[in-house]
Amino acid sequence: MAILTFLISLAGATMFLLFAVRMVRTGIERSYGASFQRLLTGTGSQLQASGVGLGLALVLQSSAAVTLLVTGFASGGYLAFPTGLAIVLGGDLGSALIIQILSFRLDWLVPVLLAVGGYLFVKTEGKKTRQAGRILLGVAFILISLRFLREAMDPIRDSAFLPAVAGYLARDYITAFLVGAGLAFVMHSSVAAILMCVTLVQIGAIPFEAGLSLVLGANFGSGFIPVWLSRGMSQSARRIPYANLGLRGSWALACLLVINSGLGAELLSGVQGLAAEGQMLVYVHLAFNGSLLVLALPICARIEPLMQRLMTDPPAPEPGLAGRPVSALEPGVYGPPAQVLANLKRELLRMSDLVETMFRPLADLYQTGDAAQIKALQALDPEVDSCLSGIRSYVADIPAEGFTHGELKQAREMMEYAIRLETAGDVAARRLAVLAARLNKRNLQFSSEGWTEILHMHEAIMANLRLASNVLISNDLESARLLNLEKTELKRMERDSRKRHLKRLQNNKRHSFDTSDIHLETLRALREFNSHVAAVSYPLLYQNGQLLETRLIEDMEAS
């Protein structure tokens, strides 16, 4: 019975820890996720790139999240392999620093974090303050889950089961290494896995030697997480997580063998008394990741040719084969209702991808005014129009028999969203791209404050485009609510930027006078573009009674 109680308590504490880590990461991504692309792609030297990776890991509380961000940008051609690998290596060290911070006994801080975080999350309306509350609550939950983890060991601490397992892991360091690797991969969080190992050593549930092998294994296993999660990406992008896995795995195995040799055992016995065993385990983890960064950073560029040979690019398509995905709709061919609705969603996703492709380079075009790129962007607009025509014809010809009223309504709602996407494409091609060309044709520049405001709006809309695709695929109510809140946030950004712009005019700032019309038109166009994108959330919110038809008070008493 004690073992069953232990397993249930351990599972609950572990899942609570994973939830808490994810809660912190979600809060940070929702507040600042749109700025990560600019931060990642703006790095210079590899040393600077590793510093960016370290900072991002501290913020996101996950080296795997940093690796996936890097892989995504590498897939789009925004990051070179050496820079991306340097960011990932820095992220691993940042993840180790998180464990150092969270390994301290901070139980006294929990009530403060719960009180402040709960107030910000429940009682405030601003996006950033609410997400700050979410982050503080998540940190409090991490500390609570670690306390639960320590308490979960009480039922079996004095039994024969735990000493037997702990003794076996201490004797068989290879098994302990593999268990640590499996633990990190199954938990999908090296922070959570290593915090668990540190806690077990701190309370004396397992000996220091076993914990050491577990931590080295967890470092190895953490490299598998982004490899697994990036399996659907391009071969060129996946070279970074595979290279990181190779480096981490090689160094972890080398350290494991050295530590378990005679020389390593003597060295450990000499330093073990310098700190408590749990803290010593954290120091070893920090030393592992710090030494890996120092050793691997100078050879990042040299690893690229090796990875290119090991992971070759797929052969180029034969001439005449279409490289762009074809329409998912076949006029006149209708299967079961579920298949018809799925086809419409696929076509809407294709349309959304085209609109995102048009919108993404606009920030650069406002700075460069590249005529060829503007022309290429505008050339996609007829393709978006063609998508709308196909969806409109497809929905109009759906046979009424065999379809319920609700299914036909869903099809019409998707057609309405297609109209919105087509209008968003027009805003990008016929207004924003034209404004970018006009700005550069006149050799004008926004003020630094004005350009920062526009850039932040562009980044926020890029994040909303991805969120809109998620809503379209999953019909997730929470994502739909968030998208609608982001629409309100963007309206606030547009209003605040307009007010600050007018203040700059009053202060006689020359840049603001010269670019006033273009600045204000750009703000209006960005807000309108985002409004069309966010429209995908309306049907889901109406259906669940979470969106009002009007904000007007309909029944007013006579005064």
Side-chain angles (χ1 to χ4, degrees), residues 222-246:
S222 67
F224 279 101
I225 300 170
V227 166
W228 172 256
L229 295 177
S230 64
R231 61 191 182 278
M233 295 185 182
S234 66
Q235 192 84 319
S236 59
R238 299 188 75 205
R239 289 175 189 145
I240 293 175
Y242 267 104
N244 182 54
L245 174 62

Side-chain angles (χ1 to χ4, degrees), residues 306-319:
L306 174 62
M307 296 307 300
Q308 287 174 341
R309 286 196 296 271
L310 293 175
M311 302 177 66
T312 57
D313 290 317
E318 294 293 330

Side-chain angles (χ1 to χ4, degrees), residues 61-92:
Q61 296 214 341
S62 171
S63 57
V66 174
T67 307
L68 286 175
L69 276 172
V70 167
T71 306
F73 291 131
S75 177
Y78 297 108
L79 268 179
F81 176 92
T83 304
L85 185 55
I87 293 173
V88 169
L89 291 169
D92 292 329

